[in-house]
Protein backbone atom coordinates (compact mmCIF):
# COMPACT_ATOMS: atom_id res chain seq x y z
CA UNK A 1 0.00 0.00 0.00
CA UNK A 2 1.09 3.55 -0.48
CA UNK A 3 0.80 6.51 1.93
CA UNK A 4 -2.79 7.17 0.84
CA UNK A 5 -3.90 3.56 1.48
CA UNK A 6 -4.09 2.67 -2.21
CA UNK A 7 -3.18 -0.88 -3.05
CA UNK A 8 -0.08 -1.25 -5.19
CA UNK A 9 -0.16 -5.04 -5.19
CA UNK A 10 -2.64 -7.55 -3.74
CA UNK A 11 -1.96 -11.20 -3.10
CA UNK A 12 -2.69 -13.84 -0.50
CA UNK A 13 -1.12 -16.94 0.96
CA UNK A 14 -2.45 -19.49 3.43
CA UNK A 15 -1.73 -18.66 7.06
CA UNK A 16 1.14 -20.74 8.36
CA UNK A 17 -0.13 -22.53 11.46
CA UNK A 18 2.63 -25.02 12.28
CA UNK A 19 5.37 -23.02 14.00
CA UNK A 20 6.71 -19.57 14.71
CA UNK A 21 9.70 -20.16 12.42
CA UNK A 22 7.51 -21.11 9.47
CA UNK A 23 5.14 -18.23 10.20
CA UNK A 24 8.02 -15.71 10.21
CA UNK A 25 9.45 -17.30 7.06
CA UNK A 26 6.08 -16.89 5.31
CA UNK A 27 5.87 -13.18 6.21
CA UNK A 28 9.51 -12.63 5.27
CA UNK A 29 8.85 -14.49 2.02
CA UNK A 30 6.20 -11.91 1.10
CA UNK A 31 8.67 -9.14 1.93
CA UNK A 32 11.41 -10.80 -0.14
CA UNK A 33 9.05 -11.33 -3.08
CA UNK A 34 8.43 -7.59 -3.46
CA UNK A 35 11.61 -6.03 -2.01
CA UNK A 36 13.38 -6.00 -5.38
CA UNK A 37 10.31 -4.63 -7.16
CA UNK A 38 9.23 -1.87 -4.72
CA UNK A 39 10.80 0.31 -2.05
CA UNK A 40 9.29 -1.19 1.09
CA UNK A 41 9.55 1.32 3.90
CA UNK A 42 7.95 -0.77 6.63
CA UNK A 43 5.69 -3.59 7.71
CA UNK A 44 2.44 -3.02 9.61
CA UNK A 45 0.84 -5.98 11.38
CA UNK A 46 -2.80 -6.06 12.40
CA UNK A 47 -3.32 -9.07 14.63
CA UNK A 48 -5.96 -10.49 16.94
CA UNK A 49 -5.09 -10.92 20.57
CA UNK A 50 -3.77 -8.82 23.42
CA UNK A 51 -0.95 -6.62 22.13
CA UNK A 52 1.09 -3.90 23.81
CA UNK A 53 1.82 -1.74 20.77
CA UNK A 54 4.17 0.50 22.77
CA UNK A 55 6.53 -2.35 23.61
CA UNK A 56 5.59 -4.48 20.55
CA UNK A 57 4.88 -7.42 22.83
CA UNK A 58 2.20 -9.90 21.80
CA UNK A 59 0.74 -11.50 24.92
CA UNK A 60 -1.32 -13.76 22.68
CA UNK A 61 -2.05 -14.03 18.99
CA UNK A 62 -5.60 -15.27 18.87
CA UNK A 63 -5.80 -18.74 17.36
CA UNK A 64 -2.10 -18.74 16.42
CA UNK A 65 -0.84 -20.05 19.75
CA UNK A 66 2.84 -20.05 18.74
CA UNK A 67 2.89 -16.25 18.58
CA UNK A 68 2.04 -15.94 22.29
CA UNK A 69 4.45 -14.00 24.48
CA UNK A 70 6.79 -12.80 21.73
CA UNK A 71 8.05 -9.54 20.29
CA UNK A 72 7.14 -10.10 16.64
CA UNK A 73 8.27 -6.58 15.75
CA UNK A 74 11.84 -7.29 16.83
CA UNK A 75 11.88 -10.66 15.06
CA UNK A 76 10.67 -9.21 11.74
CA UNK A 77 12.76 -6.04 12.03
CA UNK A 78 15.88 -8.18 12.40
CA UNK A 79 14.86 -10.38 9.47
CA UNK A 80 13.61 -7.74 7.00
CA UNK A 81 15.65 -4.66 8.07
CA UNK A 82 12.70 -2.22 7.90
CA UNK A 83 10.55 -0.61 10.60
CA UNK A 84 7.76 -2.89 11.85
CA UNK A 85 4.68 -2.06 13.93
CA UNK A 86 1.97 -4.23 15.46
CA UNK A 87 -1.49 -3.33 16.70
CA UNK A 88 -4.66 -5.16 17.68
CA UNK A 89 -6.86 -5.86 14.64
CA UNK A 90 -9.99 -4.29 16.18
CA UNK A 91 -8.10 -1.09 16.93
CA UNK A 92 -6.76 -1.11 13.36
CA UNK A 93 -10.30 -1.42 11.99
CA UNK A 94 -11.47 1.57 14.05
CA UNK A 95 -8.42 3.64 13.07
CA UNK A 96 -8.94 2.81 9.39
CA UNK A 97 -12.59 3.93 9.58
CA UNK A 98 -11.53 7.23 11.13
CA UNK A 99 -8.71 7.75 8.62
CA UNK A 100 -10.30 6.73 5.30
CA UNK A 101 -13.64 5.07 6.03
CA UNK A 102 -17.15 5.87 7.10
CA UNK A 103 -15.99 7.87 10.14
CA UNK A 104 -13.53 10.11 8.27
CA UNK A 105 -15.83 13.16 8.26
CA UNK A 106 -16.94 12.80 11.88
CA UNK A 107 -15.91 14.93 14.81
CA UNK A 108 -17.33 12.45 17.33
CA UNK A 109 -17.86 8.79 16.50
CA UNK A 110 -18.08 5.27 17.83
CA UNK A 111 -16.70 2.15 16.21
CA UNK A 112 -17.94 -1.13 17.68
CA UNK A 113 -15.92 -4.18 16.76
CA UNK A 114 -17.65 -7.15 18.34
CA UNK A 115 -15.63 -10.05 17.01
CA UNK A 116 -14.57 -11.82 13.87
CA UNK A 117 -16.08 -10.02 10.87
CA UNK A 118 -18.76 -8.29 12.98
CA UNK A 119 -18.43 -4.53 13.32
CA UNK A 120 -20.39 -1.33 13.07
CA UNK A 121 -19.65 2.40 12.85
CA UNK A 122 -21.68 5.39 13.94
CA UNK A 123 -21.05 8.99 12.97
CA UNK A 124 -22.83 11.66 14.95
Amino acid sequence: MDEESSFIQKDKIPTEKESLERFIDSIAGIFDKYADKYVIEGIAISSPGMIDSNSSFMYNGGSLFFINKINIVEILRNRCKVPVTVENDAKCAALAEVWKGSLSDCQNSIALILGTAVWSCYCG
Side-chain angles (χ1 to χ4, degrees):
M1 298 184 83
D2 65 16
E3 301 86 13
E4 297 302 316
S5 75
S6 297
F7 284 98
I8 297 169
Q9 183 75 38
K10 280 177 100 173
D11 202 348
K12 63 181 179 177
I13 63 169
T15 301
E16 179 55 56
K17 298 178 182 177
E18 296 301 316
S19 70
L20 176 61
E21 294 77 22
R22 290 178 66 172
F23 182 74
I24 296 298
D25 286 345
S26 69
I27 295 171
I30 296 167
F31 177 86
D32 293 341
K33 179 178 177 179
Y34 296 105
D36 291 335
K37 195 173 184 181
Y38 302 103
V39 175
I40 301 173
E41 296 181 31
I43 298 171
I45 301 169
S46 172
S47 178
M50 188 176 4
I51 298 166
D52 181 341
S53 57
N54 293 323
S55 68
S56 305
F57 192 79
M58 296 181 71
Y59 291 97
N60 61 54
S63 64
L64 301 175
F65 299 112
F66 55 81
I67 59 175
N68 292 350
K69 299 180 182 171
I70 66 165
N71 187 322
I72 197 164
V73 167
E74 183 179 307
I75 294 167
L76 284 171
R77 188 183 309 136
N78 289 336
R79 168 58 177 79
C80 299
K81 308 299 185 210
V82 295
V84 179
T85 60
V86 63
E87 184 58 85
N88 174 270
D89 59 348
K91 288 181 183 179
C92 287
L95 290 169
E97 290 297 337
V98 169
W99 182 42
K100 294 283 185 174
S102 61
L103 302 178
S104 63
D105 294 327
C106 299
Q107 185 171 351
N108 299 300
S109 59
I110 297 172
L112 300 173
I113 293 87
L114 303 174
T116 304
V118 179
W119 59 275
S120 177
C121 296
Y122 170 76
C123 179

